[in-house]
Amino acid sequence: MDYKQKIEDLLTLYFIMGSQNGQGNPEYVLQQAIEGGITLFQFREKGEGALQGDEKRRLGERLKQICKDAGVPFIVNDDIELAMQLDADGVHVGQEDEKAAVTRKQIGNKILGVSTHTLEEAHQAIADGADYLGLGPIFPTESKDDIRKVHGLDLIQAFRRHDIQTPIVGIGGIMSANASDVIQAGGDGVSVISAIAGAEDAKQATVQLKQAVRKEQLED
Ligand code: TZP
Ligand code: MG
């Protein structure tokens, strides 16, 4: 399997969480999500009540270990230093974070994800060495304050129409009921926070999301 195919597979069900998301114990929720079948995890400690410094690092260490034991790659959001300290499998940066080209230099061949909102940003991210693009918010979300306009599915379609072949993951307001739309539009997978972290039964929610995505992937 080539590297691009491997990234596409990892994006199938990409769970993002920090201690500020959901009510449950993050380690327990991550464990449940892994049992339910997530394919990639991102530690995103951000927003109101987010941990900082040593506390953030210690939680990162524990979540990294859970992922490592399960063979699920571990990505750090927007903190290259922490990613290097934890020997994470990758880093995800947004347009307001460290530049993708600088990040790529610092992380070597770890996985690099970049959030993009326009074709121009996408082309730049690809030139800078992005392994995948995050696109969103696809649907309305309450998990991020500083969101740009809701792009809907048209942005994914537009990227594909303009021949962007880099792996794409959709984010924002995705649940098992609308996950298949993201794949149909041309996404390789879905990224969720609240659909898992906010679920009463995180494992069950994960299983349902995974089924919805896999079913649509098979029909592609
Ligand atoms: N970036 C765009 S939307 C979003 C991020 C981090 C939040 C997604 O959270 P949810 O709960 O899956 O809508
Ligand atoms: Mg960011």
Side-chain angles (χ1 to χ4, degrees):
M1 193 198 294
D2 69 7
Y3 188 67
K4 180 176 169 239
Q5 174 77 55
K6 184 187 144 186
I7 298 289
E8 285 169 359
D9 282 358
L10 289 179
L11 295 179
T12 296
L13 182 49
Y14 186 1
F15 177 41
I16 301 178
M17 179 182 60
S19 65
Q20 74 282 358
N21 301 125
Q23 309 294 325
N25 168 300
E27 285 140 284
Y28 178 72
V29 175
L30 176 57
Q31 198 65 256
Q32 292 291 106
I34 286 172
E35 283 178 30
I38 59 165
T39 48
L40 189 61
F41 175 69
Q42 181 188 121
F43 179 45
R44 180 175 179 278
E45 194 61 33
K46 208 166 219 178
E48 219 182 293
L51 303 176
Q52 308 211 346
D54 279 354
E55 278 188 322
K56 177 181 174 185
R57 183 179 46 75
R58 281 196 294 272
L59 177 59
E61 271 167 5
R62 297 196 299 271
L63 298 179
K64 160 82 205 283
Q65 190 60 46
I66 292 170
C67 283
K68 193 172 171 200
D69 291 345
V72 171
F74 177 88
I75 309 289
V76 173
N77 182 283
D78 184 21
D79 190 335
I80 300 168
E81 197 184 322
L82 181 67
M84 299 311 283
Q85 274 176 2
L86 299 180
D87 191 23
D89 299 288
V91 174
H92 186 96
V93 291
Q95 295 294 322
E96 288 83 21
D97 304 329
E98 185 58 90
K99 289 230 174 319
V102 176
T103 308
R104 169 51 80 206
K105 276 218 182 81
Q106 293 183 344
I107 68 172
N109 60 9
K110 291 182 190 295
I111 298 169
L112 174 60
V114 181
S115 298
T116 60
H117 314 87
T118 63
L119 271 172
E120 199 187 342
E121 287 176 358
H123 288 303
Q124 187 63 53
I126 294 164
D128 289 344
D131 293 308
Y132 73 86
L133 305 176
L135 260 73
I138 303 289
F139 305 111
T141 175
E142 287 178 13
S143 303
K144 187 169 157 72
D145 307 328
D146 59 334
I147 53 163
R148 310 206 183 183
K149 95 180 217 301
V150 172
H151 292 298
L153 301 162
D154 47 335
L155 193 66
I156 301 182
Q157 287 164 341
F159 276 29
R160 292 309 190 200
R161 256 199 328 273
H162 285 86
D163 209 30
I164 288 184
Q165 290 170 16
T166 303
I168 289 176
V169 67
I171 183 164
I174 299 173
M175 296 163 293
S176 58
N178 58 20
S180 63
D181 297 345
V182 178
I183 309 304
Q184 237 174 47
D188 295 294
V190 301
S191 199
V192 306
I193 299 178
S194 56
I196 295 177
E200 237 165 78
D201 183 337
K203 182 173 168 180
Q204 177 64 16
T206 305
V207 168
Q208 281 173 0
L209 275 158
K210 181 89 173 269
Q211 274 171 357
V213 176
R214 278 270 187 256
K215 184 165 174 283
E216 196 59 44
Q217 283 174 336
L218 291 174
E219 281 174 17
D220 265 8

